[in-house]
Amino acid sequence: MWLPCGCTSKYVASSFARRTLASYLHVSGRSRCNVAAFMPEAAGLEGVSGRAALRELSVSNSESFWAAVARHRLCWSTPFHTVQDCDLSRGKIKWFEGGKLNVSVNCLDRHVHTCPERVALIWERDERGSEMKYTYGELLEMTCRLGNLLRRHSVKRGDCVTIYMPTCPLAVASMLACARIGAAHNVVFAGFSADALAERIRDAQSSTVITVNQGVRGGKVTELKKTVDTAVQSCPTVKQVFVAMRTDNPVTMTARDIAMEEEMLKEDVVCEPAVMNSEDVLFLLYTSGSTGKPKGLVHTQAGYLLYAALTHRYVFSYHDGDVFGCVADIGWITGHSYVVYGPLANGATTVLFESTPIYPDPGRYWDMVERLKINQFYGAPTAIRLLLKYGDQWVNKYDRSTLKTLGSVGEPINTEAWEWYHRVVGDGRCPVVDTWWQTETGGICIAPRPSDPDAEIVPGMAMRPFFGINPVLMDTEGEVLTSNNTSGALCMAQPWPGMARTIHNNHQRFIDTYFQPYPGYFFTGDGAYRSEEGYYQITGRLDDVINVSGHRIGTAEIEDVVNQCPAVAESAVVGYTHSIKGQGVYAFVVLKKGIDVQEADLSRQLNGMVSEKIAKYASPDFIQFAKRLPKTRSGKIMRRVLRKVVESDLEGLGDLSTLDDPAAVQEIIQGHEKLLSKNRS
């Protein structure tokens, strides 16, 4: 991979940063305010005392709040003239119109101007103990060279570049290089199959793909270049593939392939940043919905960057000089917001974690905390539950005294895992922030912090809305539930800068999914409980989306693949509680008449199909073959009943009067018990 640059190049990059910064800085003077010590961005807001008052103002006078924060925290080449122009009933969201800036300048140049030798990235490679560090000056040079390379190969403003790479410095530079020249990026998780990758390339209409020869994770090598080769065969828009080298193993190069690092060395270390409008597209990121087709959510420049930076700073109590350790993959929104954009906008040292929590042993995270002196650690409940089962000794073996904040992301964390995380990993002294947010929200919306230092944190609850976030609970009639100690559909009553702007090429689907269910509100798709104290607890999805190890996947997407098998007549997929993954995948499959196959062989075949078409994590944990599925008289599969059967909640089957044939339910129950008995033996 890309090696640290020499001193001469650092000087050139640093001097260029000073020149660039002068043209991009537009930061208003600070006013005196008694909240300035906590939040300098709010210094110009008159008459606000304390966090609670600041939180109230951020909702009641959101324009003043976000204007003050945006002027302080971002570097603008042209100031904005309109804070917001939003209409949730029409799915119209615009922030900071008239403002111009460049995201890579905000993430790199302004820090190079003040501290070029500060470490930007620590690459925790799969091989333990072989970490590599990259300063802001070095990352700027890498980004500029790559930006120039993309420009030389005709990548222009408004194009969309697909990135299919493991978590590594060149992946970060690829994202920032796109931002620098005005191209959007579409990062695809490097665990997705060739079919899933191809679908995302086609929808994004990418002509350029960036990848590596091979990926390395958990001691295993994956053939990423081969996956790309297979994918682009069905992507006529792709004209060129840039290939970096993660390992020393050569790969077959075709006429469209370009050796990326070799060509980067020919480029200049100065790359003029494009001047971007606030609402220009920064990136697409595909997420699963309740239909079979993934949706490409669109995030734009200024609002997204501001929200990622602000939440990173205040949810985790990040301070200059801290080492921030988010172990998410860059292929997910958590990697975008809290590995790359949020930390780098704040001038942080951010960790790129390439490995797994149990490679080469279950002490990997905590060994990394000791070696890299990590101050904030942000991981998934799936990993915490897994490590809990290995016992305390793997944690206690390592010095974790540098830890100040522990974070949880991807799904609600159960109380047992929360308490172990707090008591054992954090020695009972580190606050645990259980964060709720989505790809759609751009950044954290509900979390225990920020709050007063002595404010309580309730295990397993997301708790408090962030600044500018106004959550409401809705009942089944679409009315706002105003009392506490109640549950409902979680919606947002007003817009915020970090939220997605549309679904790529399908704004109507954006409106139908997020704004039509509860007109005038943003519908999250999640249910929530609000306690007597007003704290929020997420209760799970309200649509047919399941959360496997923090990865959302639509049940319809899995069913589409299963139904492609010639032996399958129809299928129904539901989620169920899994002790490690949070939710597992349970598939009910009805075979066509006259089909004579071994169920075990067909199960392997179906799992293989799902792995190949989507990803391994989407493969069913259980496949139950059934003669028929419980349906209403109108022919709709009663998934509610199937979920209750899988969860062994037969008392909660509810009203079955609309069933076409109640006997189908008994058949499903008997088949489920038989499958469980078989797996126990």
Side-chain angles (χ1 to χ4, degrees):
M1 294 301 277
W2 189 257
L3 297 176
C5 57
C7 296
T8 304
S9 299
K10 287 183 198 171
Y11 173 76
V12 173
S14 179
S15 63
F16 170 63
R18 287 192 291 272
R19 296 199 306 273
T20 302
L21 192 71
S23 67
Y24 272 82
L25 276 173
H26 182 87
V27 182
S28 63
R30 301 184 184 184
S31 304
R32 291 187 302 276
C33 184
N34 54 6
V35 296
F38 163 66
M39 180 183 264
E41 297 93 339
L45 300 172
E46 298 295 335
V48 179
S49 59
R51 289 174 173 85
L54 182 59
R55 152 80 195 148
E56 174 58 32
L57 179 135
S58 74
V59 173
S60 63
N61 193 351
S62 64
E63 286 206 14
S64 295
F65 174 82
W66 288 116
V69 170
R71 291 188 182 108
H72 186 286
R73 186 155 283 274
L74 298 184
C75 295
W76 302 86
S77 61
T78 302
F80 52 89
H81 55 65
T82 303
V83 180
Q84 66 155 305
D85 180 12
C86 303
D87 181 353
L88 294 186
S89 65
R90 296 192 292 129
K92 177 187 178 184
I93 305 134
K94 292 185 178 181
W95 285 84
F96 312 120
E97 285 186 285
K100 297 181 186 295
L101 77 172
N102 183 277
V103 165
S104 79
V105 168
N106 275 271
C107 290
L108 299 175
D109 302 67
R110 62 173 171 165
H111 308 310
V112 171
H113 177 66
T114 57
C115 45
E117 297 304 318
R118 176 182 290 176
V119 174
L121 309 177
I122 304 178
W123 184 22
E124 174 69 6
R125 305 201 306 165
D126 193 60
E127 304 87 352
R128 183 157 71 179
S130 65
E131 70 271 10
M132 298 176 70
K133 298 181 179 181
Y134 298 77
T135 67
Y136 272 91
E138 291 164 352
L139 182 55
L140 175 60
E141 178 182 331
M142 201 189 310
T143 298
C144 285
R145 287 184 184 272
L146 184 47
N148 286 328
L149 178 62
L150 292 173
R151 273 181 174 154
R152 176 156 64 88
H153 285 269
S154 303
V155 178
K156 61 187 184 302
R157 180 180 179 136
D159 289 349
C160 184
V161 175
T162 293
I163 300 170
Y164 185 71
M165 304 175 81
T167 301
C168 62
L170 263 180
V172 176
S174 297
M175 297 165 73
L176 292 169
C178 290
R180 195 167 193 86
I181 67 173
H185 60 69
N186 164 37
V187 181
V188 178
F189 173 55
F192 273 124
S193 68
D195 285 352
L197 172 61
E199 183 177 29
R200 288 156 175 78
I201 292 173
R202 287 193 300 268
D203 192 75
Q205 299 162 308
S206 291
S207 61
T208 301
V209 177
I210 303 177
T211 190
V212 299
N213 64 330
Q214 295 175 314
V216 183
R217 190 167 184 268
K220 298 176 182 177
V221 173
T222 53
E223 302 292 342
L224 298 188
K225 170 63 164 57
K226 288 183 179 177
T227 301
V228 171
D229 288 342
T230 302
V232 299
Q233 288 176 11
S234 59
C235 301
T237 59
V238 174
K239 307 302 181 195
Q240 55 196 1
V241 176
F242 292 93
V243 184
M245 298 295 288
R246 170 59 182 91
T247 68
D248 294 329
N249 301 324
V251 289
T252 302
M253 300 287 278
T254 68
R256 83 176 145 250
D257 298 330
I258 299 163
M260 189 158 84
E261 291 134 314
E262 186 180 315
E263 292 299 309
M264 284 172 66
L265 291 172
K266 301 175 184 177
E267 299 296 336
D268 193 64
V269 297
V270 175
C271 178
E272 188 67 25
V275 179
M276 306 299 291
N277 297 316
S278 292
E279 285 297 327
D280 285 339
V281 177
L282 177 61
F283 65 84
L284 310 184
L285 192 58
Y286 285 82
T287 185
S288 290
S290 55
T291 66
K293 184 177 174 58
K295 48 187 184 281
L297 290 159
V298 175
H299 281 284
T300 53
Q301 309 272 331
Y304 167 79
L305 186 66
L306 175 67
Y307 196 73
L310 204 70
T311 48
H312 170 256
R313 165 67 182 86
Y314 291 108
V315 171
F316 299 100
S317 299
Y318 166 80
H319 291 87
D320 283 348
D322 286 348
V323 176
F324 189 78
C326 174
V327 292
D329 191 281
I330 59 158
W332 309 112
I333 188 64
T334 305
H336 282 55
S337 297
Y338 301 112
V339 174
V340 182
Y341 287 115
L344 294 180
N346 289 334
T349 297
T350 182
V351 175
L352 308 178
F353 183 70
E354 186 183 38
S355 194
T356 75
I358 57 171
Y359 179 76
D361 58 51
R364 180 60 186 267
Y365 279 168
W366 323 123
D367 167 64
M368 179 178 70
V369 167
E370 178 181 286
R371 269 188 294 111
L372 307 186
K373 296 181 169 39
I374 290 172
N375 303 111
Q376 294 89 11
F377 182 86
Y378 195 29
T382 299
I384 302 306
R385 286 191 292 266
L386 175 64
L387 296 174
L388 185 159
K389 292 184 178 297
Y390 283 97
D392 299 359
Q393 68 271 21
W394 288 105
V395 184
N396 295 329
K397 186 177 177 181
Y398 299 100
D399 178 10
R400 303 166 323 284
S401 59
T402 57
L403 287 174
K404 296 190 287 188
T405 303
L406 299 173
S408 171
V409 61
E411 58 180 301
I413 186 169
N414 57 301
T415 301
E416 181 191 13
W418 190 101
E419 291 178 342
W420 182 82
Y421 199 23
H422 178 258
R423 175 179 54 83
V424 178
V425 176
D427 286 325
R429 58 181 179 77
C430 299
V432 176
V433 289
D434 176 12
T435 62
W436 175 85
W437 59 296
Q438 303 169 323
T439 305
E440 294 87 339
T441 72
I444 295 163
C445 289
I446 307 177
R449 297 287 190 263
S451 60
D452 291 327
D454 58 349
E456 72 171 330
I457 295 181
V458 180
M461 294 189 82
M463 298 190 73
R464 302 176 178 94
F466 190 71
F467 296 111
I469 299 298
N470 187 11
V472 294
L473 299 181
M474 311 291 281
D475 66 16
T476 55
E477 304 301 316
E479 297 296 322
V480 176
L481 297 164
T482 56
S483 63
N484 287 346
N485 191 23
T486 190
S487 297
L490 180 63
C491 296
M492 299 296 167
Q494 62 192 60
W496 64 99
M499 66 192 301
R501 301 309 196 246
T502 188
I503 291 173
H504 181 60
N505 283 337
N506 198 342
H507 191 65
Q508 190 57 50
R509 184 182 179 191
F510 186 63
I511 294 171
D512 293 345
T513 303
Y514 303 107
F515 303 100
Q516 204 166 39
Y518 300 93
Y521 297 86
F522 172 84
F523 173 48
T524 68
D526 280 337
Y529 164 74
R530 187 168 57 228
S531 71
E532 284 288 358
E533 300 80 11
Y535 302 149
Y536 288 87
Q537 182 173 29
I538 309 304
T539 55
R541 296 296 296 179
L542 298 175
D543 54 16
D544 291 318
V545 174
I546 54 182
N547 194 322
V548 182
S549 300
H551 307 323
R552 276 181 16 181
I553 185 77
T555 55
E557 198 172 345
I558 302 173
E559 289 166 6
D560 283 350
V561 174
V562 171
N563 293 344
Q564 290 173 22
C565 177
V568 174
E570 63 177 341
S571 64
V573 171
V574 299
Y576 71 96
T577 302
H578 191 287
S579 62
I580 300 296
K581 297 188 289 187
Q583 280 190 292
V585 180
Y586 196 109
F588 293 90
V589 174
V590 177
L591 300 181
K592 292 177 180 175
K593 289 192 178 349
I595 295 293
D596 183 20
V597 294
Q598 291 293 320
E599 290 185 355
D601 293 339
L602 188 54
S603 292
R604 282 191 291 271
Q605 181 184 342
L606 294 175
N607 269 310
M609 289 174 64
V610 174
S611 295
E612 181 183 341
K613 297 286 185 181
I614 305 175
K616 286 184 178 178
Y617 71 80
S619 297
D621 301 273
F622 292 96
I623 297 178
Q624 178 178 334
F625 294 97
K627 294 178 181 177
R628 52 185 169 165
L629 299 175
K631 295 180 180 180
T632 63
R633 283 184 280 276
S634 62
K636 184 178 180 181
I637 298 171
M638 293 194 72
R639 297 170 192 279
R640 167 180 62 82
V641 171
L642 294 177
R643 281 190 285 266
K644 291 295 184 180
V645 171
V646 171
E647 294 285 2
S648 298
D649 181 16
L650 301 185
E651 298 298 318
L653 289 176
D655 181 17
L656 303 178
S657 62
T658 59
L659 273 173
D660 179 45
D661 185 355
V665 177
Q666 289 305 315
E667 291 174 7
I668 290 292
I669 293 171
Q670 291 167 6
H672 174 65
E673 292 172 348
K674 181 180 177 182
L675 184 60
L676 290 185
S677 176
K678 181 180 177 182
N679 276 272
R680 290 192 200 102
S681 58

